[in-house]
Amino acid sequence: MTEQPHHDQLREAFETHEDTNIDPAAVYARVQELSTKYKRRRRGAQIAAGGVLSAGLVAGAINLPAFLPANQPVTNTAAGVPAGAPAKPSAAPSNGPTDYDRNLEAYTEAGYGYDNAGVLARLWKMNGDDRLAVKAEAGRRLLLGETLPIKPSPDAPVEEETISPEQDKQFQAFFNAGYTWTEAEKLAKIWKIKDPADAKLEAGKRLLAGEELPVKPTKENVAAALENKRASAFWEAGYEAEDAAKLAKLWNLKDTWSAKVEAGMRLLAGQELPIKP
């Protein structure tokens, strides 16, 4: 069974907790101080995916919102948070948990993991790349008292392997261009590379050198990567979830995520926002 790309886990986790009271800018600043050493995860003997920092380094190095790990404890020793603390803060979001949050929590508490979401996506004919949505749907059904068509199998524990900052840049280039694990498998086959994770590194290296790859990402994933980049700019500028809520109201946007993306787009274009961080 295809192993989970951990960068995809990171994006998934950030989306899950994007409206919590964690201060991403503060975490990001601390990560920059600590990120002299990088690690990636292995599941058993196979590399699951690219450059993920250990929980002790909080997560992600350069692009925090794109690299906050899922199903891993978030720790920040500088901020006095003990190792092993849950990724979700003890304080509830200002607007309380949503039905979506409850669905995801029900899925996790039932013992289901990432690979289960992939199987369910195939059974329900959902997008296998958007496993967060699959988990939410499964959780919704569980809360309604339904029995899922598969037994739960939590994600296996992972081992850590050190990678270099240069490799981390290569992984980021790969994902920021809109590529996913699916394209990595195709590239590995074309380049005769045994491990798709190594194909990501090679792809990132070529992208950084300005080369075109023989496989193109989907338009949907390119758009998602661009949104993620813009949302990252919002956090990195020092804004918080409360600021996104204010901007959504000012701009008549439907949700805070749209406000973060719009704000990030304006910031990257050198524009000033109507509110200060």
Side-chain angles (χ1 to χ4, degrees), residues 199-260:
K200 292 181 183 180
L201 285 172
E202 178 62 27
K205 180 180 179 181
R206 298 190 186 198
L207 288 169
L208 290 170
E211 299 181 26
E212 290 190 4
L213 304 187
V215 174
K216 300 296 183 184
T218 66
K219 292 182 179 179
E220 294 78 10
N221 287 338
V222 171
L226 180 58
E227 280 197 357
N228 184 73
K229 179 181 178 181
R230 289 170 175 172
S232 299
F234 172 85
W235 293 117
E236 290 165 10
Y239 289 93
E240 301 178 354
E242 292 80 1
D243 300 316
K246 293 176 183 177
L247 290 171
K249 187 175 182 179
L250 283 172
W251 293 334
N252 296 317
L253 298 175
K254 61 181 180 179
D255 52 41
T256 57
W257 174 255
S258 300
K260 293 167 190 173

Side-chain angles (χ1 to χ4, degrees), residues 135-255:
K135 290 181 179 182
E137 172 60 19
R140 184 186 69 82
R141 299 188 186 199
L142 288 168
L143 290 174
L144 290 174
E146 296 183 25
T147 300
L148 300 188
I150 62 173
K151 298 294 184 182
S153 57
D155 296 327
V158 294
E159 298 175 1
E160 296 180 351
E161 179 178 316
T162 300
I163 67 169
S164 68
E166 184 61 30
Q167 288 174 316
D168 188 74
K169 291 179 182 178
Q170 292 165 0
F171 278 124
Q172 289 184 60
F174 178 85
F175 286 106
N176 288 342
Y179 288 95
T180 67
W181 186 256
T182 299
E183 287 80 36
E185 290 180 316
K186 294 177 181 179
L187 290 170
K189 186 175 182 180
I190 292 172
W191 292 333
K192 302 187 185 308
I193 297 175
K194 183 178 180 180
D195 193 330
D198 292 330
K200 292 181 183 180
L201 285 172
E202 178 62 27
K205 180 180 179 181
R206 298 190 186 198
L207 288 169
L208 290 170
E211 299 181 26
E212 290 190 4
L213 304 187
V215 174
K216 300 296 183 184
T218 66
K219 292 182 179 179
E220 294 78 10
N221 287 338
V222 171
L226 180 58
E227 280 197 357
N228 184 73
K229 179 181 178 181
R230 289 170 175 172
S232 299
F234 172 85
W235 293 117
E236 290 165 10
Y239 289 93
E240 301 178 354
E242 292 80 1
D243 300 316
K246 293 176 183 177
L247 290 171
K249 187 175 182 179
L250 283 172
W251 293 334
N252 296 317
L253 298 175
K254 61 181 180 179
D255 52 41

Side-chain angles (χ1 to χ4, degrees), residues 123-135:
L123 290 174
W124 295 338
K125 302 187 185 306
M126 295 180 69
N127 180 5
D129 289 331
D130 188 3
R131 300 204 184 185
L132 193 64
V134 179
K135 290 181 179 182

